[in-house]
Amino acid sequence: MRVELFWQLLENATVVRWDGKRKYCLVYLPGLGYRLYRREGHWVLLLVVGPEARRWAATFGVEVDGAAA
């Protein structure tokens, strides 16, 4: 998706964490769960969703309980 659409998506997120280079972003969207994105210039690519993305939470310094997914 284009970066502009990604910024709009983040308005509904309750968790937004970037890596140190602001290339990878972990996002939690209510009703949709965790998603891991990678920024490439003017594009943002969805890499993984749900439980796979949730496994990245600790890498981004996000504590999750057993209920969040």
Side-chain angles (χ1 to χ4, degrees):
M1 81 177 72
R2 299 221 18 108
V3 169
E4 297 82 12
L5 292 175
F6 181 68
W7 297 134
Q8 290 176 5
L9 177 106
L10 294 184
E11 292 176 8
N12 297 316
T14 56
V15 172
V16 177
R17 294 288 195 288
W18 290 92
D19 71 336
K21 296 182 179 182
R22 293 186 59 90
K23 182 171 183 167
Y24 293 92
C25 185
L26 180 72
V27 176
Y28 181 81
L29 294 162
L32 296 175
Y34 282 95
R35 293 165 177 247
L36 181 63
Y37 293 92
R38 183 177 72 215
R39 185 174 169 188
E40 293 288 338
H42 295 291
W43 296 94
V44 177
L45 307 171
L46 177 60
L47 300 177
V48 292
V49 298
E52 278 189 70
R54 186 174 179 258
R55 284 193 273 274
W56 284 90
T59 303
F60 286 84
V62 176
E63 292 184 28
V64 295
D65 59 17

